[in-house]
Amino acid sequence: MSETAENMVLVINSGSSSIKYQLLDPDSGVVAASGMVERIGEDEGGLEHRVDGETTERREPIADHAAGLRLVFDTFAATGHDLVREGVRAVGHRVVHGGEVFYRPTLIDDDVVASISELAALAPLHNPANVAGIESARALLPGVPQVAVFDTAFFHGLPAAAKTYAIDAKVAAAHGIRKYGFHGTSHEYVSGRAAELLGRDPAELNQIVFHLGNGASASAIRGGRPVDTSMGLTPLEGLVMGTRSGDLDPGIVAHLARSAHLDIDRIDALLNRDSGIKGLSGVNDFRELRRLIASGDEAARLAYDVYIHRLRRYLGAYLIELGGVDAITFTAGVGENSPQVRADALAGLSRFGIEVDPVANTAESRAARFISPSGAPVAVLVVPTNEELAIARAARQLVERRG
Ligand code: ADP
């Protein structure tokens, strides 16, 4: 068994029916244990916990987030880390929506929990689940500092022209309507790593980052600060995603209400859960989509073409907004693992200095790496994202500043 947990950070990402977690050393990035509780509140719940390459599984109903986290702590204790006895340096919580209120890692107290709960109007699927995770962890580790790291924080300073929706300004102000952006922890981490790999100061670079997972987003970053991003008030805007539509004519919402007589919750579910790659092809997993395409499925082919078309539209927009780009970086499940997507997204752009080296692009590697030919004017990179490490470092830094 590795060292004790007292210098490590426990990172918790609490979703509506799941809790993902990692115990890691924020300096080295070494993960002591990780896992996931799934199907909270359903008849058959479960936990998978990994330590030193060994997986412990539990199958049992898990009533709520508090029960889920207790099961996590019990499993930790049974596999070598009694977190309550050993203590941890801090707990870092991923919180989806920080609204206008939170734009840096924040030490959690009762007021902070109340404010995160109030932001549920902006993120009804996410913030209540985040609060459930926070409250459970505070109950189990009462003396340990808990830090909230917000998915929106990196984009807080977006320029007014990029974050403003062209609707009645009074309505927008009354309801907090603006572009907030999400996946900020990932965009910040990945763009920082890209600058490191280039051996350049982030302040000198124009970058475009594509975070392509189940959720997907793009960002344009100048001098280390984002100037635009594809997700908006909610994570629904922008790129085509696993189950989300991304950009739409907003008139479609009114049309569906009038013509299909769908109420607003049904429309919300349609656009968030039954659209995107899944809506077009029937599957939301990219590997399955590729298999369907290989078998000649035309709907799957169209879904892929729409996905690439949207990526390229954002690429073009951000190239112009930035007035030229030094680095384009792909990350997350699809971005890290699909050479086809990377090649198709950037095909035919050599006149802009953008090229992908086919050998580097298809090399089997999990490492952060260049996939553009050496000496190309625009660096193209694959950088594995690591939101847990970024959250752990932010939490540790905040705790150290307090002394
Ligand atoms: P999340 O947004 O849930 O964190 P991930 O970043 O894990 O998502 O990305 C999940 C997506 O990545 C899925 O669509 C999955 O099919 C895709 N993916 C994972 N591995 C591969 C692979 N080897 N090739 C293509 N797609 C992959």
Side-chain angles (χ1 to χ4, degrees):
M1 178 48 53
S2 47
E3 55 189 303
T4 76
E6 65 183 335
N7 291 319
M8 297 190 222
V9 176
L10 178 65
V11 174
I12 295 179
N13 180 355
S14 177
S16 54
S17 66
S18 69
I19 302 171
K20 292 186 199 152
Y21 60 91
Q22 268 191 16
L23 178 69
L24 73 165
D25 179 330
D27 295 314
S28 65
V30 171
V31 176
S34 64
M36 178 159 168
V37 181
E38 282 179 293
R39 295 185 295 283
I40 295 171
E42 295 178 26
D43 291 344
E44 287 179 35
L47 166 106
E48 258 184 47
H49 181 83
R50 286 180 298 280
V51 185
D52 296 336
E54 297 219 1
T55 303
T56 307
E57 281 193 46
R58 300 274 293 265
R59 294 279 156 251
E60 59 190 69
I62 297 163
D64 53 22
H65 286 76
L69 206 61
R70 269 199 307 277
L71 181 62
V72 171
F73 274 53
D74 289 349
T75 313
F76 261 111
T79 54
H81 279 300
D82 184 334
L83 299 183
V84 174
R85 197 166 42 78
E86 290 174 38
V88 291
R89 189 86 181 88
V91 182
H93 294 271
R94 176 184 184 221
V95 179
V96 168
H97 218 306
E100 296 275 10
V101 189
F102 298 110
Y103 48 92
R104 54 173 67 106
T106 302
L107 193 67
I108 295 172
D109 59 19
D110 293 346
D111 291 343
V112 169
V113 176
S115 301
I116 294 171
S117 295
E118 280 164 24
L119 291 166
L122 289 170
L125 297 178
H126 297 106
N127 276 36
N130 299 153
V131 167
I134 290 170
E135 287 185 330
S136 309
R138 290 179 87 199
L140 285 163
L141 294 171
V144 172
Q146 315 248 344
V147 176
V149 178
F150 296 90
D151 227 28
T152 48
F154 183 53
F155 299 115
H156 180 77
L158 280 178
K163 74 178 181 192
T164 304
Y165 290 108
I167 65 169
D168 183 319
K170 288 193 220 60
V171 173
H175 297 283
I177 293 172
R178 50 157 279 198
K179 183 184 277 287
Y180 291 95
F182 298 86
H183 291 148
T185 307
S186 179
H187 284 276
E188 184 172 20
Y189 173 82
V190 164
S191 57
R193 286 284 291 132
E196 270 172 28
L197 289 163
L198 282 159
R200 303 266 304 272
D201 184 344
E204 299 170 354
L205 295 174
N206 286 351
Q207 301 198 47
I208 296 173
V209 175
F210 287 109
H211 175 113
L212 309 177
N214 278 316
S217 60
S219 66
I221 299 169
R222 177 184 292 126
R225 311 291 312 160
V227 294
D228 209 347
T229 192
S230 58
M231 285 178 166
L233 173 84
T234 75
L236 184 56
E237 189 181 352
L239 301 177
V240 176
M241 312 184 207
T243 65
R244 295 184 207 134
S245 61
D247 294 337
L248 286 173
D249 174 355
I252 291 171
V253 174
H255 178 70
L256 280 171
R258 287 192 203 104
S259 300
H261 306 293
L262 297 184
D263 69 24
I264 204 66
D265 290 330
R266 183 69 199 98
I267 295 173
D268 207 29
L270 173 76
L271 300 180
N272 277 289
R273 297 211 300 265
D274 298 323
S275 295
I277 296 284
K278 182 180 173 205
L280 290 172
S281 73
V283 299
N284 69 312
D285 190 290
F286 227 83
R287 283 162 293 198
E288 282 180 52
L289 185 77
R290 301 293 317 168
R291 277 194 284 277
L292 285 179
I293 292 171
S295 74
D297 187 298
E298 282 185 19
R301 178 81 239 169
L302 177 62
Y304 182 79
D305 291 346
V306 174
Y307 183 91
I308 295 293
H309 179 84
R310 188 78 54 83
L311 275 183
R312 289 171 67 89
R313 186 189 279 170
Y314 273 90
L315 175 68
Y318 289 173
L319 265 176
I320 299 302
E321 281 186 42
L322 291 167
V325 66
D326 300 296
I328 299 172
T329 305
F330 292 88
T331 192
V334 177
E336 291 167 30
N337 295 300
S338 178
Q340 189 75 52
V341 165
R342 299 190 296 256
D344 290 341
L346 304 185
L349 301 177
S350 53
R351 75 176 65 181
F352 300 102
I354 299 171
E355 274 182 76
V356 172
D357 177 312
V359 175
N361 187 33
T362 50
E364 289 287 333
S365 171
R366 314 236 110 248
R369 59 199 185 274
F370 289 87
I371 58 166
S372 43
S374 66
V378 176
V380 183
L381 301 100
V382 178
V383 173
T385 192
N386 195 341
E387 288 158 288
E388 291 81 9
L389 179 59
I391 291 171
R393 287 188 172 156
R396 199 268 319 264
Q397 207 179 28
L398 184 69
V399 168
E400 273 178 3
R401 267 211 310 271
R402 292 166 67 232

